[in-house]
Structures are given as structure tokens and as C-alpha cells.
């Protein structure tokens, strides 16, 4: 790596933009090219299912940087062009327009793509996915003439979109294959809170259902048919059934891929000149002592700075705890930590679950793995400290709101 090196970033999302920013902040003065498939400069996606979908945020407020920032920081922004292949031998990436971009170091921030439904009728008009700004705009427009909305998938995006549709005064049905929405992420006790939240806001939430097919009239969706034969009329269907990391470039070039691009704690891939960050990276996290691929904003916000340092041959390690947030109706939450099903043996609540003002803690024995504060603010740093200290906690003290979170040790 020299002062005149060329660094190439593929993927014009949050991670790509933050990487360019970090490289300049850290004093890298070689060439930076940022290639994005979307025609828009990097923007934040969380508002797409929240304020922006509800018409409460201006487009300009979503962009990571003002347009002039790229010029001012000498970042060559190539938009509306996908990278189609990676030639590791000759150190270049081929773009869809046939041009080749050379690199000394390459950072892949290609993010992820929504999984598609494969059932009959999935390609009818009126069936939407939500990933890009244009998707959010199309759904917002469709809200205007679609009194009956069916949301397939009770994950974060499905639930937030359902809340936006209710805010628009629409009739909303959520279809979820599991016993509760978010049950895989949060476990049954906390997932129940979200089931009740949506039902109390007028959503027809149906769990344990299989969607068999979508039917339509003149190419436009009219109904959703379930496995048990029941039929739900729909003017608009929104699908949120998970995402797949965009690994093709790396995979086809022979870089290790396994649930994302496999990178170490420095965000370096199996090719020492290729790095990955954000949704697409399955990164080793020393604090968690395992590889994790995190599909959330904070990861795309913070990982790129570490990738940038590594690209510049400086030693930096990514060991932040995963963090995410969500807003639905009048409920706001922040989740810190990592607790998959099977990792924890109990959930301790602190506060009032019924009025949805509480903190939930996921514990393995006496150790806290994760905490989620719901309508309870300025506590995520304390939750993080409890988790990272690794100290044994007293579950009764943890549950007792009169005991400070700094004082919950066993
Ligand atoms: C609707 C919505 C709501 C969300 N809400 C929240 C939330 O409330 N809280 C939270 O923590 N997280 C939320 N997220 C998740 C968060 O937005 C993502 O984790 C974050 O966007 C990941 O950033 P990224 O840069 O890694 O990937 P992306 O944002 O996916 O960006 C990757 C970019 O790379 C481009 N690209 C892909 N392949 C190529 C290629 N071959 N050549 C060129 N360009 C390519 C893509 O088109 C895309 O523009 C939400 C996501 C969505 C979609």
C-alpha cells in the first residue's frame, strides 16, 4: 500500500459511504472509487419503512453525505452501475458497462437483497418488496389506493411496514409462518409483546400460517390464499421474508463465502487484498468469539472504519456488540448484544411489560448476553456495560427498577 494506491469500494450503501469517509479521515490520500448499482448516492434505509414511508421525512434527510461531499473529498462516485465480476489476478473489477476499475485494495459492501416469494402469483402487480428508496416511494403511493394490505412475514420490516399502513388508515393483515412474529430473534416472551402491540393497533395478525398462492385479476393481485384454504382479499401485498447477502462477486472469484463473505476481526477476507463490511460480511467478532453476520444499521455504520484501517495496513479490530433499533406505532426499542435461540436459558424483565415500558435481558446462567430497552431511554450504554463486563448478575436485582443498572452484580 502506497500513497498513490487505488482503493475500490463496491456497494453504494451506508457501509460504502462510511468506508470512503473513514479512509479520508484517517489520511489516506490515494484514489478512492465508490461504485454503486443504485442511481442514488448512498442513503440510510431505516426510514424507508418508518418516517419516509409515512411521508414524515424529506428525501434529502436520508442521504449519508451531501452530493458535494464526494467531490470535496475526492471520492470518485460511480452510480447506476453494478460490478459484475472480480478479477483477482489482474486486480480489477469489471462493471456492467464493460469498463474495468483497477484496485490495490478492494472493499465489498454489497449489502443484501430481499428473498423473493416463489409461490404461484408472486409476480403479480401489487406485490412489493422493500429495500430501496424507490420501493418505499412505490409502496407509499400504493397506500393511497389500497384499502386492504396484506403483509407476508412478521419480521422487523414487515412489522414496521404494517405500522405505517395502519398509520395511513388501512386495513392490515400480517401473515407469519411461526407461532409469533419475531419469535426466532426474541423468543416467545418478548415476541408476545409485538403480537399484542399489532393486534391492539388493529392489525389482523395470523400466525402459524402458510401462504399458498396469490391470485389476481388482469395481472393485479386480489387475494392471498392460505394453506388451510382461507382467502384474504388484498389490494396490496408487501413481502418481508428475509434477506440474502450479495456474495456473488466474492463467491465467483473464489473468496471464502459462508452466510456472507467470511472475514476475520480485521474485516479481511480469505484474499488479503479484499475486505468486506456491512450486511454482506460474516465477520469474526472476538467479543462474541464467533462469526456473525449482522443485518442492521449500526454494523454498517461502524464496521467500515475498521475495514478502512485494515486496508491501510493499520491494526484495528471490530469487536462491537451488535446493536439495532426499531419504531412501530408508539413503541421504540433498542437492542444491544447477541442472543440466539439456544444461547440463553431465561429472559428477565425489568419494568412494566403490559404498558410496554421495560427492559428485557437474555441470560445464560448469571451472565447477560443481550438487552432490549422498550420505551425506556438512555440505558443502552449501561446495558452494553453489563454485557461486556461479563460479570455474574443477580436476576432479582436486574428485575428491580429501584436498583440501579450499575449495581446488579450477583
Ligand atoms: C426498509 C428497511 C428498514 C430498516 N430498518 C432498520 C432499523 O430500523 N434498524 C436497523 O438497525 N437496521 C435497519 N435496516 C437495516 C439496515 O438498513 C442495513 O443493515 C444497512 O442498510 C446495511 O448497509 P450496507 O451498506 O451493508 O448494505 P446496503 O444498504 O444493502 O447497501 C449495499 C449497496 O450495494 C449495492 N450493490 C450490491 N451489489 C452491487 C454490485 N455488484 N455492484 C455495485 N453495487 C452493488 C446495492 O444496490 C446497495 O445500494 C433496515 C433495512 C431496510 C431495507
Amino acid at each position: 500500500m502506497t500513497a498513490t494506491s487505488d482503493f475500490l469500494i463496491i456497494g453504494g450503501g451506508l457501509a460504502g459511504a462510511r468506508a470512503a469517509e473513514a479512509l479520508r479521515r484517517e489520511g489516506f490520500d490515494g484514489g478512492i472509487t465508490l461504485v454503486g448499482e443504485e442511481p442514488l448516492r448512498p442513503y440510510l434505509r431505516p426510514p424507508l419503512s418508518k418516517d419516509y414511508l409515512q411521508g414524515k421525512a424529506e428525501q434529502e434527510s436520508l442521504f449519508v453525505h451531501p452530493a458535494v461531499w464526494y467531490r470535496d473529498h475526492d471520492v470518485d462516485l460511480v452510480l447506476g452501475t453494478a460490478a459484475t465480476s472480480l478479477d483477482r489476478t489482474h486486480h480489477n473489477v469489471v462493471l456492467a458497462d464493460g469498463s474495468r476499475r483497477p484496485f490495490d485494495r478492494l472493499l465489498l459492501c454489497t449489502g443484501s437483497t430481499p428473498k423473493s416469494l416463489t409461490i404461484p402469483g408472486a409476480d403479480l402487480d401489487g406485490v412489493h418488496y422493500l429495500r430501496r428508496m424507490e420501493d418505499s416511494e412505490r409502496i407509499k403511493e400504493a397506500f393511497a389506493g389500497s384499502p386492504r394490505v396484506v403483509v407476508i412475514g412478521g419480521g422487523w420490516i414487515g412489522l414496521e411496514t404494517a405500522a405505517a399502513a395502519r398509520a395511513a388508515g388501512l386495513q392490515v393483515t400480517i401473515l407469519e409462518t411461526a407461532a409469533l412474529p419475531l419469535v426466532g430473534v426474541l423468543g416467545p416472551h418478548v415476541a408476545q409483546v409485538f403480537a399484542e402491540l399489532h393486534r391492539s393497533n388493529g392489525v389482523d395478525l395470523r400466525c402459524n400460517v402458510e401462504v399458498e398462492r396469490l391470485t389476481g385479476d388482469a395481472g393485479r393481485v386480489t387475494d392471498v390464499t392460505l394453506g388451510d384454504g382461507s382467502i384474504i382479499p388484498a389490494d396490496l401485498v408487501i413481502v418481508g421474508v428475509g434477506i440474502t447477502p450479495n456474495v456473488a462477486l466474492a463467491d465467483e472469484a473464489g473468496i471464502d463465502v459462508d452466510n456472507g463473505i467470511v472475514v476475520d476481526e480485521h474485516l479481511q477476507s480469505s484474499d488479503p487484498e479484499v475486505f468486506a463490511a456491512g450486511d454482506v460480511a460474516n465477520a469474526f467478532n472476538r467479543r462474541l468469539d464467533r462469526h456473525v453476520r449482522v443485518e442492521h444499521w449500526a454494523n454498517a455504520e461502524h464496521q467500515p472504519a475498521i475495514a478502512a484501517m485494515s486496508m491501510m495496513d493499520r491494526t484495528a479490530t471490530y469487536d462491537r456488540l451488535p446493536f439495532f433499533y426499531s419504531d412501530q406505532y408508539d413503541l421504540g426499542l433498542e437492542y444491544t448484544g447477541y442472543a440466539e435461540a439456544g444461547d440463553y436459558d431465561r429472559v428477565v424483565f425489568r419494568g412494566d411489560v403490559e404498558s410496554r415500558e421495560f427492559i428485557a435481558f437474555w441470560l445464560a446462567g448469571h451472565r447477560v448476553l443481550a438487552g432490549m430497552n422498550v420505551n425506556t431511554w438512555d440505558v443502552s450504554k449501561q446495558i452494553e456495560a453489563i454485557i461486556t463486563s461479563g460479570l455474574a448478575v443477580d436476576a432479582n436485582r436486574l428485575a428491580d427498577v429501584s436498583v440501579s443498572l450499575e449495581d446488579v452484580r450477583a
Side-chain angles (χ1 to χ4, degrees):
M1 211 271 300
T2 67
T4 56
S5 295
D6 282 319
F7 283 5
L8 179 59
I9 304 168
I10 304 293
L14 175 62
R18 289 291 184 231
E21 183 184 317
L23 285 168
R24 287 297 182 233
R25 190 177 58 237
E26 294 299 329
F28 175 68
D29 58 5
I32 302 178
T33 303
L34 173 53
V35 177
E37 186 179 6
E38 292 184 66
L40 295 170
R41 69 182 190 274
Y43 58 86
L44 300 167
R45 295 184 202 277
L48 301 182
S49 50
K50 307 178 187 68
D51 284 5
Y52 194 63
L53 184 56
Q54 293 186 35
K56 292 189 203 158
E58 293 298 316
Q59 187 192 64
E60 201 53 33
S61 69
L62 270 56
F63 291 110
V64 182
H65 298 112
V68 292
W69 184 90
Y70 296 92
R71 198 191 58 216
D72 291 351
H73 291 81
D74 200 13
V75 174
D76 183 9
L77 192 56
V78 181
L79 296 176
T81 315
T84 52
S85 69
L86 160 58
D87 180 345
R88 289 164 61 200
T89 314
H90 298 101
H91 283 88
N92 63 51
V93 166
V94 182
L95 305 189
D97 61 10
S99 64
R100 283 176 185 267
R101 298 279 166 162
F103 67 83
D104 294 296
R105 297 279 152 83
L106 172 67
L107 175 62
L108 297 172
C109 298
T110 45
S112 42
T113 302
K115 288 183 187 162
S116 300
L117 282 186
T118 52
I119 54 172
D123 54 356
L124 286 164
D125 286 346
V127 179
H128 293 255
Y129 295 81
L130 178 48
R131 183 76 196 171
R132 296 181 169 194
M133 198 182 285
E134 70 211 40
D135 301 330
S136 178
E137 288 165 359
R138 270 201 290 263
I139 294 171
K140 183 166 41 182
E141 237 177 76
F143 276 175
S146 311
R148 296 162 306 179
V149 178
V150 173
V151 176
I152 300 180
W156 295 111
I157 290 188
L159 295 182
E160 290 175 1
T161 309
R166 287 297 299 140
L170 309 176
Q171 184 185 317
V172 179
T173 305
I174 300 177
L175 303 174
E176 168 57 50
T177 49
L180 287 167
L182 299 171
V183 69
V185 197
L186 303 177
H189 296 100
V190 186
Q192 188 61 43
V193 173
F194 289 87
E196 280 160 20
L197 172 71
H198 282 268
R199 288 193 172 121
S200 67
N201 277 283
V203 169
D204 177 6
L205 170 64
R206 304 197 195 183
C207 297
N208 292 314
V209 296
E210 289 300 330
V211 180
E212 198 173 272
R213 65 177 180 278
L214 309 180
T215 42
D217 183 24
R220 220 195 142 69
V221 71
T222 54
D223 298 290
V224 180
T225 304
L226 303 184
D228 65 4
S230 48
I231 292 175
I232 306 160
D235 306 300
L236 173 65
V237 171
I238 297 155
V239 184
V241 293
I243 56 178
T244 312
N246 295 324
V247 296
L249 276 180
D251 198 15
E252 287 162 15
I255 290 172
D256 284 356
V257 161
D258 177 15
N259 177 33
I261 300 170
V262 180
V263 289
D264 63 13
E265 65 263 49
H266 313 299
L267 304 175
Q268 190 172 40
S269 78
S270 59
D271 179 331
E273 267 138 21
V274 180
F275 300 77
D279 272 20
V280 78
N282 185 5
F284 185 75
N285 186 309
R286 206 184 283 165
R287 195 178 291 285
L288 302 171
D289 196 26
R290 64 171 102 175
H291 278 85
V292 286
R293 193 174 64 74
V294 180
E295 302 169 347
H296 293 297
W297 161 87
N299 192 61
E301 173 78 12
H302 300 299
Q303 267 188 348
I306 303 301
M309 299 282 274
S310 303
M311 291 168 83
M312 296 171 70
D313 293 333
R314 299 199 194 145
T315 305
T317 298
Y318 191 77
D319 63 357
R320 275 181 186 254
L321 286 176
F323 171 89
F324 65 84
Y325 65 93
S326 178
D327 294 311
Q328 300 164 35
Y329 313 103
D330 57 356
L331 181 149
L333 69 87
E334 295 169 323
Y335 180 107
T336 309
Y338 192 79
E340 279 190 337
D343 289 349
Y344 60 94
D345 44 48
R346 64 186 156 153
V347 179
V348 171
F349 289 96
R350 174 187 176 98
D352 187 356
V353 178
E354 207 138 294
S355 67
R356 301 186 193 112
E357 269 180 48
F358 65 92
I359 310 175
F361 294 96
W362 286 259
L363 274 74
H366 293 285
R367 271 192 56 224
V368 177
L369 304 180
M372 184 173 87
N373 45 302
V374 174
N375 286 348
T376 308
W377 303 109
D378 301 322
V379 288
S380 56
K381 287 281 159 231
Q382 285 140 289
I383 294 172
E384 186 184 333
I386 294 173
I387 299 169
T388 53
S389 74
L391 291 171
V393 297
D394 177 326
N396 292 327
R397 295 177 70 75
L398 197 60
D400 184 345
V401 288
S402 70
V403 176
S404 156
L405 279 176
E406 270 105 32
D407 201 15
V408 292
R409 250 190 230 194

